[in-house]
Coordinates of all heavy atoms in Angstrom, one line a residue:
F113 N 0.8 -1.2 0.0 CA 0.0 0.0 0.0 C 0.9 1.3 0.0 O 0.6 2.2 -0.7 CB -0.9 0.0 1.2 CG -1.7 1.2 1.4 CD1 -2.8 1.5 0.5 CD2 -1.4 2.2 2.3 CE1 -3.5 2.7 0.6 CE2 -2.1 3.3 2.4 CZ -3.2 3.6 1.6
V114 N 1.9 1.2 0.8 CA 2.8 2.4 0.9 C 3.4 2.8 -0.5 O 3.5 3.9 -0.9 CB 3.9 2.2 2.0 CG1 4.9 3.4 2.0 CG2 3.2 2.1 3.3
Y115 N 3.9 1.8 -1.2 CA 4.5 2.0 -2.5 C 3.5 2.5 -3.5 O 3.8 3.4 -4.3 CB 5.2 0.7 -3.0 CG 6.6 0.5 -2.4 CD1 6.7 0.0 -1.2 CD2 7.7 0.9 -3.1 CE1 8.0 -0.2 -0.6 CE2 9.0 0.8 -2.6 CZ 9.1 0.2 -1.3 OH 10.4 0.1 -0.8
T116 N 2.3 2.0 -3.4 CA 1.2 2.5 -4.3 C 0.9 4.0 -4.0 O 0.9 4.8 -5.0 CB 0.0 1.7 -4.1 OG1 0.3 0.3 -4.3 CG2 -1.1 2.1 -5.0
L117 N 0.7 4.3 -2.8 CA 0.4 5.7 -2.4 C 1.6 6.6 -2.8 O 1.4 7.7 -3.3 CB 0.1 5.7 -0.9 CG -0.2 7.1 -0.3 CD1 -1.5 7.6 -1.0 CD2 -0.4 7.0 1.2
G118 N 2.8 6.1 -2.5 CA 4.0 6.9 -2.8 C 4.1 7.2 -4.3 O 4.5 8.4 -4.7
D119 N 3.8 6.3 -5.1 CA 3.9 6.5 -6.5 C 2.8 7.4 -7.0 O 3.1 8.3 -7.9 CB 3.9 5.2 -7.3 CG 4.3 5.4 -8.8 OD1 5.4 5.9 -9.0 OD2 3.4 5.1 -9.6
C120 N 1.6 7.3 -6.5 CA 0.5 8.2 -6.8 C 0.9 9.6 -6.4 O 0.7 10.6 -7.2 CB -0.8 7.8 -6.2 SG -1.4 6.3 -6.9
I121 N 1.5 9.8 -5.3 CA 1.9 11.2 -4.8 C 3.0 11.7 -5.7 O 3.0 12.9 -6.1 CB 2.3 11.1 -3.3 CG1 1.1 10.9 -2.5 CG2 3.0 12.4 -2.9 CD1 1.4 10.6 -1.0
A122 N 4.0 10.8 -6.0 CA 5.1 11.3 -6.9 C 4.5 11.7 -8.3 O 5.0 12.8 -8.8 CB 6.1 10.1 -7.1
Q123 N 3.6 11.0 -8.8 CA 3.0 11.4 -10.1 C 2.3 12.7 -10.0 O 2.3 13.5 -10.9 CB 2.2 10.3 -10.7 CG 3.0 9.1 -11.2 CD 2.1 8.1 -11.9 OE1 1.4 8.4 -12.8 NE2 2.3 6.8 -11.5
A124 N 1.6 12.8 -8.9 CA 0.8 14.1 -8.7 C 1.7 15.3 -8.6 O 1.4 16.3 -9.1 CB -0.1 13.9 -7.4
T125 N 2.9 15.1 -7.9 CA 3.8 16.2 -7.8 C 4.5 16.6 -9.1 O 5.0 17.6 -9.3 CB 4.9 16.0 -6.7 OG1 5.6 14.8 -7.1 CG2 4.3 15.8 -5.3
E126 N 4.4 15.6 -10.0 CA 5.0 15.8 -11.4 C 3.9 16.5 -12.2 O 4.2 16.9 -13.4 CB 5.4 14.5 -12.0 CG 6.5 13.8 -11.4 CD 6.7 12.4 -11.8 OE1 5.9 11.9 -12.6 OE2 7.7 11.8 -11.5
G127 N 2.7 16.8 -11.7 CA 1.7 17.5 -12.4 C 0.7 16.6 -13.1 O -0.1 17.1 -13.9
T128 N 0.7 15.3 -12.9 CA -0.2 14.4 -13.5 C -1.5 14.4 -12.8 O -1.6 14.3 -11.5 CB 0.3 12.9 -13.4 OG1 1.6 12.9 -14.0 CG2 -0.6 12.0 -14.2
E129 N -2.6 14.6 -13.5 CA -4.0 14.5 -12.9 C -4.3 13.1 -12.5 O -3.8 12.1 -13.1 CB -5.0 15.1 -14.0 CG -4.7 16.5 -14.4 CD -5.0 17.5 -13.2 OE1 -5.8 17.2 -12.4 OE2 -4.2 18.5 -13.2
V130 N -5.2 12.9 -11.6 CA -5.5 11.6 -11.1 C -6.0 10.7 -12.2 O -5.7 9.5 -12.2 CB -6.6 11.7 -9.9 CG1 -7.1 10.4 -9.5 CG2 -6.0 12.5 -8.8
E131 N -6.9 11.2 -13.1 CA -7.4 10.4 -14.1 C -6.4 10.0 -15.2 O -6.6 9.1 -15.9 CB -8.6 11.1 -14.8 CG -8.3 12.4 -15.5 CD -8.4 13.6 -14.5 OE1 -8.8 13.4 -13.3 OE2 -8.1 14.7 -14.9
N132 N -5.2 10.7 -15.2 CA -4.1 10.4 -16.1 C -2.9 9.6 -15.5 O -1.9 9.6 -16.1 CB -3.7 11.6 -16.8 CG -4.7 12.3 -17.6 OD1 -5.6 11.6 -18.2 ND2 -4.8 13.6 -17.6
L133 N -3.1 9.1 -14.3 CA -2.0 8.4 -13.6 C -1.6 7.2 -14.5 O -2.4 6.6 -15.1 CB -2.4 7.9 -12.3 CG -2.5 9.0 -11.1 CD1 -3.0 8.3 -9.9 CD2 -1.2 9.7 -10.9
D134 N -0.3 7.0 -14.5 CA 0.3 5.8 -15.2 C 0.0 4.6 -14.3 O 0.7 4.3 -13.4 CB 1.8 6.0 -15.4 CG 2.4 4.9 -16.2 OD1 1.8 3.8 -16.4 OD2 3.6 5.1 -16.6
R135 N -1.1 3.9 -14.6 CA -1.6 2.8 -13.8 C -0.6 1.6 -13.8 O -0.4 0.9 -12.8 CB -3.0 2.4 -14.2 CG -4.0 3.4 -13.7 CD -5.4 3.1 -14.2 NE -6.4 4.0 -13.7 CZ -6.6 5.2 -14.1 NH1 -5.8 5.7 -15.1 NH2 -7.5 6.0 -13.6
L136 N 0.1 1.4 -14.9 CA 1.0 0.3 -15.0 C 2.2 0.7 -14.1 O 2.7 -0.2 -13.4 CB 1.5 0.1 -16.4 CG 2.5 -1.0 -16.7 CD1 1.8 -2.3 -16.2 CD2 2.8 -1.1 -18.1
R137 N 2.6 1.9 -14.0 CA 3.7 2.3 -13.1 C 3.3 2.1 -11.7 O 4.1 1.6 -10.9 CB 4.1 3.8 -13.4 CG 5.1 4.3 -12.5 CD 5.4 5.8 -12.8 NE 5.8 6.5 -11.6 CZ 6.2 7.8 -11.6 NH1 6.3 8.4 -12.8 NH2 6.5 8.4 -10.5
V138 N 2.1 2.5 -11.4 CA 1.6 2.3 -10.0 C 1.5 0.8 -9.7 O 1.9 0.4 -8.6 CB 0.2 2.9 -9.9 CG1 -0.4 2.6 -8.5 CG2 0.2 4.4 -10.0
L139 N 1.1 0.0 -10.6 CA 1.0 -1.4 -10.4 C 2.4 -2.0 -10.2 O 2.7 -2.8 -9.3 CB 0.3 -2.1 -11.5 CG 0.2 -3.6 -11.4 CD1 -0.7 -4.0 -10.2 CD2 -0.5 -4.2 -12.7
R140 N 3.4 -1.6 -11.0 CA 4.8 -2.1 -10.8 C 5.3 -1.7 -9.5 O 6.0 -2.4 -8.8 CB 5.7 -1.5 -11.9 CG 5.6 -2.2 -13.2 CD 6.7 -1.9 -14.2 NE 7.0 -0.5 -14.3 CZ 6.6 0.4 -15.2 NH1 5.7 -0.1 -16.1 NH2 6.9 1.6 -15.2
S141 N 5.1 -0.4 -9.1 CA 5.5 0.0 -7.8 C 4.9 -0.8 -6.6 O 5.6 -1.1 -5.7 CB 5.2 1.5 -7.6 OG 5.8 2.0 -6.5
A142 N 3.6 -1.0 -6.7 CA 2.9 -1.8 -5.7 C 3.5 -3.2 -5.6 O 3.8 -3.8 -4.5 CB 1.5 -1.9 -6.0
A143 N 3.7 -3.8 -6.8 CA 4.3 -5.2 -6.8 C 5.7 -5.2 -6.3 O 6.1 -6.2 -5.6 CB 4.3 -5.7 -8.3
C144 N 6.4 -4.2 -6.6 CA 7.8 -4.1 -6.1 C 7.8 -4.1 -4.5 O 8.6 -4.7 -3.9 CB 8.5 -2.9 -6.6 SG 10.2 -2.7 -6.3
G145 N 7.0 -3.3 -4.0 CA 6.9 -3.2 -2.5 C 6.4 -4.4 -1.9 O 6.9 -4.9 -0.9
F146 N 5.4 -5.0 -2.5 CA 4.8 -6.2 -1.9 C 5.6 -7.5 -2.1 O 5.8 -8.3 -1.2 CB 3.4 -6.4 -2.5 CG 2.6 -7.6 -1.9 CD1 2.2 -7.5 -0.6 CD2 2.4 -8.7 -2.6 CE1 1.5 -8.6 0.0 CE2 1.7 -9.8 -2.0 CZ 1.3 -9.7 -0.7
L147 N 6.1 -7.7 -3.3 CA 6.8 -8.9 -3.7 C 8.3 -8.9 -3.5 O 8.9 -9.9 -3.3 CB 6.5 -9.3 -5.2 CG 5.0 -9.5 -5.5 CD1 4.8 -9.7 -7.0 CD2 4.4 -10.7 -4.8
A148 N 8.9 -7.7 -3.5 CA 10.3 -7.6 -3.3 C 10.7 -7.0 -2.0 O 11.5 -7.6 -1.2 CB 10.9 -6.9 -4.5
H149 N 10.3 -5.8 -1.7 CA 10.8 -5.1 -0.5 C 10.4 -5.8 0.8 O 11.3 -6.0 1.6 CB 10.3 -3.7 -0.5 CG 10.9 -2.9 0.6 ND1 10.3 -2.5 1.7 CD2 12.2 -2.4 0.7 CE1 11.1 -1.8 2.5 NE2 12.3 -1.7 1.9
G150 N 9.2 -6.3 0.9 CA 8.8 -7.0 2.1 C 9.7 -8.2 2.4 O 10.3 -8.3 3.4
P151 N 9.7 -9.2 1.4 CA 10.5 -10.4 1.7 C 12.0 -10.1 1.8 O 12.7 -10.7 2.7 CB 10.2 -11.3 0.5 CG 8.9 -10.8 -0.1 CD 8.9 -9.3 0.2
F152 N 12.6 -9.3 1.0 CA 14.0 -9.0 1.0 C 14.4 -8.3 2.3 O 15.4 -8.6 2.9 CB 14.5 -8.2 -0.2 CG 14.5 -8.9 -1.5 CD1 14.5 -8.3 -2.7 CD2 14.4 -10.3 -1.5 CE1 14.5 -8.9 -3.9 CE2 14.4 -11.0 -2.7 CZ 14.5 -10.3 -3.9
S153 N 13.6 -7.4 2.7 CA 13.8 -6.7 4.0 C 13.8 -7.6 5.2 O 14.5 -7.5 6.1 CB 12.9 -5.5 4.2 OG 13.2 -4.5 3.2
H154 N 12.8 -8.5 5.1 CA 12.7 -9.5 6.2 C 14.0 -10.3 6.4 O 14.5 -10.4 7.5 CB 11.5 -10.4 5.9 CG 11.3 -11.5 6.9 ND1 10.8 -11.3 8.1 CD2 11.7 -12.8 6.8 CE1 10.8 -12.5 8.8 NE2 11.3 -13.4 8.0
V155 N 14.5 -10.8 5.2 CA 15.7 -11.5 5.2 C 16.9 -10.7 5.7 O 17.7 -11.1 6.6 CB 16.0 -12.1 3.9 CG1 17.4 -12.8 3.8 CG2 14.9 -13.2 3.5
W156 N 17.0 -9.5 5.2 CA 18.1 -8.6 5.5 C 18.1 -8.3 7.0 O 19.1 -8.3 7.7 CB 18.0 -7.3 4.7 CG 18.8 -6.2 5.4 CD1 18.4 -5.0 5.9 CD2 20.3 -6.2 5.6 NE1 19.4 -4.3 6.5 CE2 20.6 -5.0 6.3 CE3 21.3 -7.0 5.3 CZ2 21.9 -4.6 6.6 CZ3 22.6 -6.7 5.6 CH2 22.9 -5.5 6.3
Y157 N 17.0 -7.9 7.6 CA 16.9 -7.6 9.0 C 17.2 -8.8 9.9 O 17.8 -8.6 11.0 CB 15.6 -6.8 9.4 CG 15.6 -5.4 8.8 CD1 14.7 -5.1 7.8 CD2 16.6 -4.5 9.2 CE1 14.7 -3.8 7.3 CE2 16.6 -3.3 8.6 CZ 15.7 -2.9 7.7 OH 15.7 -1.6 7.1
N158 N 16.8 -9.9 9.5 CA 17.1 -11.2 10.2 C 18.6 -11.4 10.2 O 19.2 -11.7 11.2 CB 16.4 -12.4 9.7 CG 15.0 -12.5 10.2 OD1 14.6 -11.8 11.2 ND2 14.2 -13.2 9.4
I159 N 19.3 -11.2 9.0 CA 20.7 -11.3 8.9 C 21.4 -10.3 9.8 O 22.3 -10.6 10.6 CB 21.2 -11.2 7.5 CG1 20.7 -12.4 6.7 CG2 22.7 -11.0 7.4 CD1 20.9 -12.3 5.2
A160 N 21.0 -9.0 9.7 CA 21.6 -8.0 10.5 C 21.5 -8.2 12.0 O 22.5 -8.0 12.7 CB 21.0 -6.6 10.1
E161 N 20.3 -8.6 12.4 CA 20.1 -8.9 13.8 C 21.0 -10.1 14.3 O 21.5 -10.1 15.4 CB 18.7 -9.1 14.1 CG 17.8 -7.9 14.2 CD 18.3 -6.9 15.3 OE1 18.6 -7.3 16.4 OE2 18.5 -5.7 15.0
G162 N 21.1 -11.1 13.4 CA 22.0 -12.2 13.7 C 23.4 -11.8 13.9 O 24.1 -12.3 14.8
I163 N 23.9 -10.9 13.0 CA 25.2 -10.4 13.2 C 25.4 -9.7 14.5 O 26.4 -10.0 15.3 CB 25.6 -9.4 12.0 CG1 25.7 -10.2 10.7 CG2 26.9 -8.7 12.3 CD1 25.7 -9.3 9.5
F164 N 24.5 -8.8 14.9 CA 24.7 -8.1 16.1 C 24.5 -9.0 17.3 O 25.1 -8.9 18.3 CB 23.7 -6.9 16.2 CG 24.2 -5.7 15.4 CD1 23.8 -5.6 14.1 CD2 25.1 -4.8 15.9 CE1 24.3 -4.5 13.3 CE2 25.6 -3.8 15.2 CZ 25.2 -3.6 13.9
D165 N 23.5 -10.0 17.2 CA 23.4 -10.9 18.3 C 24.6 -11.8 18.5 O 25.0 -12.0 19.6 CB 22.1 -11.8 18.1 CG 20.8 -11.1 18.2 OD1 20.8 -10.0 18.8 OD2 19.8 -11.6 17.8
G166 N 25.2 -12.2 17.4 CA 26.4 -13.0 17.5 C 27.6 -12.3 18.1 O 28.4 -12.9 18.7
L167 N 27.6 -11.0 17.9 CA 28.7 -10.2 18.5 C 28.3 -9.7 19.9 O 29.1 -8.9 20.4 CB 29.0 -9.1 17.5 CG 29.6 -9.5 16.2 CD1 29.7 -8.2 15.2 CD2 30.9 -10.2 16.3
H168 N 27.2 -10.1 20.4 CA 26.7 -9.6 21.7 C 26.6 -8.1 21.7 O 27.0 -7.4 22.7 CB 27.5 -10.1 22.8 CG 27.7 -11.6 22.8 ND1 26.6 -12.5 23.1 CD2 28.7 -12.4 22.5 CE1 27.0 -13.7 23.0 NE2 28.3 -13.7 22.6
M169 N 26.0 -7.5 20.6 CA 25.9 -6.1 20.5 C 24.4 -5.8 20.5 O 23.8 -5.2 19.6 CB 26.6 -5.5 19.3 CG 28.1 -5.8 19.3 SD 28.8 -5.4 17.7 CE 29.0 -3.7 17.8
N170 N 23.7 -6.1 21.6 CA 22.2 -6.0 21.7 C 21.8 -4.7 22.4 O 20.6 -4.4 22.4 CB 21.6 -7.2 22.3 CG 21.9 -8.5 21.6 OD1 22.4 -8.4 20.5 ND2 21.6 -9.6 22.2
A171 N 22.7 -4.1 23.1 CA 22.3 -3.0 24.0 C 21.8 -1.8 23.2 O 22.1 -1.7 22.0 CB 23.4 -2.5 24.9
W172 N 21.0 -0.9 23.8 CA 20.4 0.2 23.1 C 21.4 1.1 22.4 O 21.2 1.7 21.4 CB 19.5 1.0 24.0 CG 20.3 1.7 25.1 CD1 20.5 1.2 26.3 CD2 20.9 3.0 25.1 NE1 21.3 2.1 27.1 CE2 21.5 3.2 26.3 CE3 20.9 4.0 24.1 CZ2 22.2 4.3 26.6 CZ3 21.7 5.1 24.4 CH2 22.3 5.3 25.6
Y173 N 22.6 1.2 23.0 CA 23.6 2.2 22.5 C 24.3 1.7 21.2 O 25.1 2.4 20.7 CB 24.6 2.5 23.6 CG 25.2 1.3 24.4 CD1 26.2 0.6 23.9 CD2 24.7 1.0 25.6 CE1 26.7 -0.5 24.6 CE2 25.2 0.0 26.4 CZ 26.2 -0.8 25.8 OH 26.7 -1.8 26.5
F174 N 24.0 0.5 20.8 CA 24.4 0.0 19.5 C 23.5 0.4 18.4 O 23.8 0.1 17.2 CB 24.7 -1.5 19.5 CG 25.8 -2.0 20.3 CD1 25.7 -2.7 21.5 CD2 27.1 -1.6 19.9 CE1 26.7 -3.1 22.2 CE2 28.2 -2.0 20.7 CZ 28.0 -2.8 21.8
T175 N 22.4 1.0 18.7 CA 21.4 1.4 17.7 C 22.0 2.3 16.6 O 21.8 2.0 15.4 CB 20.2 2.1 18.3 OG1 19.6 1.1 19.2 CG2 19.1 2.5 17.3
P176 N 22.8 3.3 16.9 CA 23.4 4.1 15.8 C 24.3 3.3 14.9 O 24.3 3.5 13.7 CB 24.2 5.2 16.6 CG 23.6 5.3 17.9 CD 23.1 3.9 18.2
L177 N 25.0 2.3 15.4 CA 25.8 1.4 14.6 C 24.9 0.6 13.7 O 25.2 0.4 12.5 CB 26.6 0.5 15.4 CG 27.6 -0.4 14.7 CD1 28.6 0.5 13.9 CD2 28.4 -1.2 15.7
K178 N 23.8 0.1 14.2 CA 22.8 -0.7 13.4 C 22.2 0.2 12.3 O 22.1 -0.2 11.1 CB 21.7 -1.2 14.2 CG 22.1 -2.3 15.2 CD 20.9 -2.8 16.0 CE 21.3 -3.9 17.0 NZ 20.1 -4.4 17.7
V179 N 21.9 1.4 12.6 CA 21.3 2.3 11.6 C 22.4 2.6 10.5 O 22.1 2.6 9.3 CB 20.8 3.6 12.3 CG1 20.5 4.7 11.2 CG2 19.7 3.4 13.2
A180 N 23.6 2.9 10.9 CA 24.7 3.1 10.0 C 24.9 1.9 9.0 O 25.0 2.1 7.8 CB 26.0 3.5 10.7
L181 N 24.9 0.7 9.6 CA 25.1 -0.5 8.8 C 23.9 -0.6 7.8 O 24.1 -0.8 6.6 CB 25.1 -1.7 9.6 CG 25.2 -3.1 8.9 CD1 26.5 -3.2 8.2 CD2 24.9 -4.2 9.8
D182 N 22.7 -0.3 8.2 CA 21.6 -0.4 7.4 C 21.6 0.7 6.2 O 21.4 0.3 5.1 CB 20.3 -0.2 8.2 CG 19.0 -0.3 7.3 OD1 18.8 -1.4 6.8 OD2 18.3 0.7 7.2
Q183 N 22.0 1.9 6.6 CA 22.0 3.0 5.6 C 23.2 2.8 4.6 O 23.1 3.3 3.5 CB 22.1 4.3 6.3 CG 20.8 4.6 7.1 CD 19.6 4.7 6.2 OE1 19.6 5.5 5.2 NE2 18.6 4.0 6.5
L184 N 24.2 2.2 5.0 CA 25.4 2.1 4.2 C 25.4 0.8 3.3 O 26.2 0.7 2.4 CB 26.7 2.2 5.0 CG 26.9 3.5 5.7 CD1 28.1 3.5 6.6 CD2 27.1 4.6 4.6
T185 N 24.6 -0.2 3.7 CA 24.5 -1.4 2.9 C 23.2 -1.7 2.3 O 23.0 -1.6 1.1 CB 24.9 -2.6 3.8 OG1 24.0 -2.7 4.9 CG2 26.3 -2.5 4.3
W186 N 22.2 -1.9 3.1 CA 20.9 -2.2 2.6 C 20.2 -1.0 1.8 O 19.6 -1.2 0.8 CB 19.9 -2.6 3.7 CG 18.5 -2.9 3.3 CD1 17.4 -2.3 3.6 CD2 18.1 -4.0 2.4 NE1 16.3 -2.8 2.9 CE2 16.7 -3.9 2.2 CE3 18.8 -5.0 1.7 CZ2 16.0 -4.7 1.4 CZ3 18.1 -5.8 0.9 CH2 16.7 -5.7 0.7
G187 N 20.3 0.2 2.3 CA 19.7 1.3 1.7 C 20.2 1.5 0.2 O 19.3 1.6 -0.7
P188 N 21.5 1.6 0.0 CA 21.9 1.7 -1.4 C 21.5 0.5 -2.3 O 21.1 0.7 -3.5 CB 23.4 1.9 -1.3 CG 23.7 2.4 0.1 CD 22.6 1.8 0.9
F189 N 21.6 -0.7 -1.8 CA 21.3 -1.8 -2.5 C 19.8 -1.8 -2.9 O 19.4 -2.0 -4.1 CB 21.5 -3.1 -1.7 CG 20.8 -4.3 -2.3 CD1 21.4 -4.9 -3.5 CD2 19.7 -4.8 -1.8 CE1 20.7 -6.0 -4.0 CE2 19.0 -5.9 -2.4 CZ 19.6 -6.5 -3.5
W190 N 18.9 -1.5 -1.9 CA 17.5 -1.5 -2.2 C 17.1 -0.4 -3.2 O 16.3 -0.6 -4.1 CB 16.6 -1.4 -0.9 CG 15.2 -1.3 -1.3 CD1 14.4 -0.2 -1.2 CD2 14.4 -2.3 -2.0 NE1 13.2 -0.5 -1.8 CE2 13.2 -1.7 -2.3 CE3 14.7 -3.6 -2.4 CZ2 12.2 -2.4 -2.9 CZ3 13.7 -4.3 -3.1 CH2 12.4 -3.7 -3.3
N191 N 17.7 0.8 -3.0 CA 17.4 1.9 -3.9 C 17.7 1.5 -5.4 O 17.0 1.8 -6.3 CB 18.0 3.2 -3.5 CG 17.4 3.8 -2.3 OD1 16.2 3.6 -2.0 ND2 18.1 4.5 -1.5
A192 N 18.9 1.0 -5.6 CA 19.3 0.6 -6.9 C 18.4 -0.5 -7.5 O 18.0 -0.5 -8.6 CB 20.8 0.1 -6.9
F193 N 18.1 -1.5 -6.6 CA 17.3 -2.6 -7.0 C 15.9 -2.1 -7.4 O 15.3 -2.6 -8.4 CB 17.2 -3.7 -5.9 CG 16.6 -5.0 -6.3 CD1 17.2 -5.8 -7.3 CD2 15.5 -5.4 -5.7 CE1 16.7 -7.0 -7.7 CE2 14.9 -6.6 -6.1 CZ 15.5 -7.4 -7.1
Y194 N 15.3 -1.2 -6.6 CA 14.0 -0.7 -6.9 C 14.0 0.0 -8.2 O 13.1 -0.1 -9.0 CB 13.6 0.3 -5.7 CG 12.3 1.0 -5.9 CD1 11.1 0.3 -5.7 CD2 12.2 2.3 -6.2 CE1 9.9 0.9 -5.9 CE2 11.0 2.9 -6.3 CZ 9.8 2.2 -6.2 OH 8.6 2.8 -6.3
I195 N 15.0 0.8 -8.5 CA 15.1 1.5 -9.8 C 15.1 0.5 -10.9 O 14.4 0.6 -12.0 CB 16.2 2.5 -9.8 CG1 16.0 3.7 -8.9 CG2 16.5 3.0 -11.3 CD1 17.2 4.5 -8.6
L196 N 15.9 -0.5 -10.8 CA 16.0 -1.6 -11.8 C 14.7 -2.3 -12.0 O 14.3 -2.5 -13.1 CB 17.1 -2.6 -11.4 CG 18.5 -2.1 -11.6 CD1 19.5 -3.2 -11.0 CD2 18.8 -1.9 -13.1
L197 N 14.0 -2.6 -10.9 CA 12.7 -3.2 -11.0 C 11.7 -2.4 -11.7 O 10.9 -2.9 -12.5 CB 12.2 -3.7 -9.7 CG 12.9 -4.8 -9.0 CD1 12.3 -5.0 -7.6 CD2 12.7 -6.1 -9.8
L198 N 11.7 -1.1 -11.4 CA 10.7 -0.2 -12.1 C 10.9 0.0 -13.5 O 10.0 0.3 -14.3 CB 10.6 1.1 -11.3 CG 9.9 1.0 -9.9 CD1 9.7 2.4 -9.4 CD2 8.6 0.3 -10.0
R199 N 12.2 0.0 -13.9 CA 12.5 0.2 -15.3 C 12.3 -1.0 -16.2 O 12.4 -0.9 -17.4 CB 13.9 0.7 -15.4 CG 14.1 2.1 -14.8 CD 15.3 2.8 -15.2 NE 15.5 4.0 -14.5 CZ 15.1 5.2 -14.9 NH1 14.5 5.3 -16.1 NH2 15.3 6.2 -14.2
S200 N 12.1 -2.2 -15.6 CA 12.0 -3.4 -16.5 C 10.6 -3.6 -17.0 O 9.6 -2.9 -16.6 CB 12.4 -4.6 -15.7 OG 11.7 -4.7 -14.5

């Protein structure tokens, strides 16, 4: 739902009227969020938590390190993958 809404908002900010939305683009974006982002993120966060659990880095003060790892690894990967999926 979030990817669908996000794409509709993106098209609206580009000046597209609601009746002229690129429905195939909206569908691709929705499928990408539902079929790719959800499952892949689930696996990624399980792996990341396993790494931190294995290193006994579970305390709250390791949160910035977890965020940095996520933003420097998963974030760029997912953004590039998302662009590739939408262009196919």
Side-chain angles (χ1 to χ4, degrees):
F113 174 75
V114 173
Y115 278 81
T116 304
L117 180 62
D119 192 60
C120 290
I121 291 170
Q123 289 187 51
T125 60
E126 294 169 352
T128 306
E129 298 294 327
V130 173
E131 59 274 357
N132 295 326
L133 287 177
D134 182 349
R135 288 175 175 75
L136 184 57
R137 176 179 150 177
V138 172
L139 182 62
R140 281 195 315 263
S141 188
C144 188
F146 183 72
L147 299 173
H149 190 250
F152 289 163
S153 290
H154 175 77
V155 170
W156 161 246
Y157 288 116
N158 281 340
I159 290 169
E161 283 300 313
I163 292 169
F164 281 94
D165 287 345
L167 297 172
H168 305 290
M169 300 170 80
N170 302 348
W172 67 268
Y173 46 82
F174 288 112
T175 301
L177 185 58
K178 290 180 180 183
V179 170
L181 177 70
D182 184 62
Q183 293 299 305
L184 295 172
T185 57
W186 177 246
F189 166 78
W190 175 251
N191 286 334
F193 192 64
Y194 179 72
I195 290 168
L196 286 173
L197 286 175
L198 288 187
R199 295 197 184 267
S200 55

